[in-house]
């Protein structure tokens, strides 16, 4: 029976094992059963699912996952937590704990070993590597159904933002190319031990089978997007002209924008994903 969502039990485990909380690994342990239930519900876990959990910590969410999924693979970098996970996950025979850095792991291989079935990723992510983890899963073409994760509130807002808003940027476009983002819960700092200095949110990213826009060359599209937001106060023609790696003159960008019916002075933040894809085709 999952028992770690209750703060006293988490505190008891931390004390008994003399856990030194590693800030460098972004360790903020969840201690709120309602938040845990909400994450599991948003991820829609069933016995058919193989779940990849990134950073199980003490095993709090892992217990919830193990009680609902067919299989759980939990990848934890901190080897000091492994004996704790062995204890807290002992009642479950459908959990595999791997002591490794998720950024160095062959996750595609892991999915292939399990018959290539799309994985559901569920995690309370270490905030210092949120973007590389999520973009790594997408870019390495890991077979995925969805990613349901706790992230910094500000990052969740950026993932969901649309054109013309302050939060809109390269991360919004990159995430929205691969998946449909939805913020499913806001989570205050008092739901964690220790309390993080920022607000958090649970975001669910449902993977598209085919991207919502057609990009002839994904790499080119993303280089263009990155350059457009590197200098977001500048016009798009100037931002792209100032990125030597692209080799696109201001004039060429202005001509492409004219063909698209956009003003020469437009900024990157005004263009939606479809317009970036068209611009990338024209350039
Ligand atoms: N899932 C636990 C919970 O909700 O209480 C812990 C979440 S805590 C925010 C993030 C976890 O990710 C920590 O256990 C941390 O040690 C682990 N972690 C940090 N960097 C990692 C990495 N590169 N690979 C795997 N795990 C990592």
């Amino acid at each position: 029976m999952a028992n770690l969502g209750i703060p006293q039990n988490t505190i008891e485990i931390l004390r008994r094992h003399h856990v030194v909380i590693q800030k460098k690994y972004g360790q903020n342990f969840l201690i709120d059963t309602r938040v845990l239930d909400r994450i599991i519900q948003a991820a829609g876990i069933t016995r058919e699912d193989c779940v990849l959990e990134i950073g199980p910590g003490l095993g709090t969410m892992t217990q919830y996952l193990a009680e609902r999924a067919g299989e759980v693979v939990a990848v934890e970098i901190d080897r000091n937590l492994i004996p704790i996970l062995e204890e807290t996950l002992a009642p479950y025979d459908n959990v595999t704990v791997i002591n490794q850095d998720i950024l160095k792991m062959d996750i595609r291989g892991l999915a292939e070993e399990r018959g290539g079935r799309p994985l559901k990723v569920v995690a309370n992510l270490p905030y210092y590597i949120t973007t590389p983890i999520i973009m790594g899963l997408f870019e390495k073409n890991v077979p995925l159904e969805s990613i349901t994760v706790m992230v910094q509130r500000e990052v969740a807002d950026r993932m969901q933002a649309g054109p013309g808003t302050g939060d809109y940027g390269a991360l919004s476009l990159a995430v929205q190319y691969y998946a449909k983002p939805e913020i499913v819960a806001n989570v205050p700092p008092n739901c964690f031990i220790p309390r993080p200095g920022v607000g958090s949110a649970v975001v669910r990213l449902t993977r598209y089978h085919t991207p919502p826009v057609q990009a002839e060359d994904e790499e080119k599209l993303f280089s263009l997007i990155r350059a457009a937001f590197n200098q977001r106060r500048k016009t798009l023609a100037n931002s792209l002209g100032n990125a030597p790696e692209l080799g696109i003159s201001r004039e060429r960008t202005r001509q492409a924008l004219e063909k698209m019916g956009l003003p020469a002075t437009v900024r990157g933040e005004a263009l939606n994903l479809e317009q970036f894809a068209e611009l990338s085709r024209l350039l």
Side-chain angles (χ1 to χ4, degrees):
M1 181 57 196
N3 58 4
L4 286 172
I6 297 153
Q8 293 86 319
N9 294 348
T10 297
I11 291 164
E12 189 271 327
I13 290 266
L14 289 169
R15 290 222 174 105
R16 185 157 47 79
H17 287 269
H18 307 288
V19 174
V20 178
I21 291 177
Q22 301 284 343
K23 260 191 153 177
K24 67 172 177 182
Y25 289 147
Q27 290 177 352
N28 297 98
F29 302 114
L30 253 174
I31 45 154
D32 190 301
T33 52
R34 278 165 314 170
V35 175
L36 285 154
D37 282 332
R38 185 74 192 97
I39 296 173
I40 300 293
Q41 184 210 6
I45 306 296
T46 72
R47 285 281 171 221
E48 304 298 305
D49 292 321
C50 176
V51 176
L52 169 66
E53 187 191 6
I54 298 162
L58 309 175
T60 310
M61 192 148 67
T62 328
Q63 292 184 334
Y64 276 67
L65 291 168
E67 287 179 8
R68 287 151 187 95
E71 186 185 359
V72 182
V73 179
V75 181
E76 174 56 60
I77 197 170
D78 185 353
R79 75 184 149 86
N80 294 323
L81 299 182
I82 303 300
I84 301 180
L85 288 166
E86 277 163 11
E87 176 187 316
T88 59
L89 302 176
Y92 306 99
D93 62 4
N94 58 345
V95 181
T96 310
V97 174
I98 303 176
N99 181 207
Q100 215 181 313
D101 179 346
I102 190 73
L103 295 178
K104 296 191 180 142
M105 226 179 108
D106 173 17
I107 307 170
R108 231 189 118 127
L110 185 123
E112 274 158 15
E113 280 164 24
R114 284 159 178 79
R117 213 160 28 124
L119 303 172
K120 283 187 177 169
V121 175
V122 183
N124 169 18
L125 285 180
Y127 294 171
Y128 74 109
I129 43 170
T130 299
T131 305
I133 290 177
I134 291 180
M135 293 319 296
L137 290 166
F138 287 143
E139 286 165 2
K140 286 177 199 149
N141 272 321
V142 174
L144 283 179
E145 200 168 316
S146 59
I147 303 178
T148 307
V149 278
M150 180 86 70
V151 297
Q152 229 173 294
R153 170 75 218 217
E154 184 205 314
V155 175
D157 287 339
R158 277 165 45 208
M159 288 182 188
Q160 222 194 12
T165 62
D167 289 326
Y168 187 59
L171 180 67
S172 327
L173 285 154
V175 165
Q176 292 167 27
Y177 177 77
Y178 293 104
K180 180 172 177 290
E182 275 167 280
I183 295 179
V184 295
N186 287 317
V187 183
N190 62 7
C191 293
F192 304 86
I193 291 180
R195 294 180 183 199
V198 290
S200 302
V202 179
V203 66
R204 179 181 56 217
L205 309 174
T206 310
R207 181 80 160 98
Y208 292 127
H209 295 300
T210 44
V213 301
Q214 270 208 317
E216 267 165 26
D217 180 344
E218 279 179 11
E219 215 170 292
K220 188 168 143 199
L221 171 64
F222 288 121
S223 317
L224 209 70
I225 290 172
R226 270 194 301 274
F229 288 97
N230 251 347
Q231 299 171 305
R232 61 184 298 147
R233 299 267 129 240
K234 295 213 154 91
T235 65
L236 188 56
N238 279 336
S239 301
L240 301 188
N242 289 343
E245 70 282 7
L246 294 178
I248 301 171
S249 70
R250 288 170 180 72
E251 198 39 43
R252 250 177 82 202
T253 305
R254 287 190 198 111
Q255 283 166 4
L257 290 172
E258 199 184 341
K259 274 195 194 144
M260 293 169 63
L262 292 169
T265 52
V266 75
R267 290 186 186 155
E269 63 195 19
L271 270 66
N272 62 25
L273 183 57
E274 177 62 56
Q275 289 169 317
F276 270 110
E278 192 181 347
L279 183 67
S280 139
R281 281 193 294 269
L282 290 171
L283 290 172

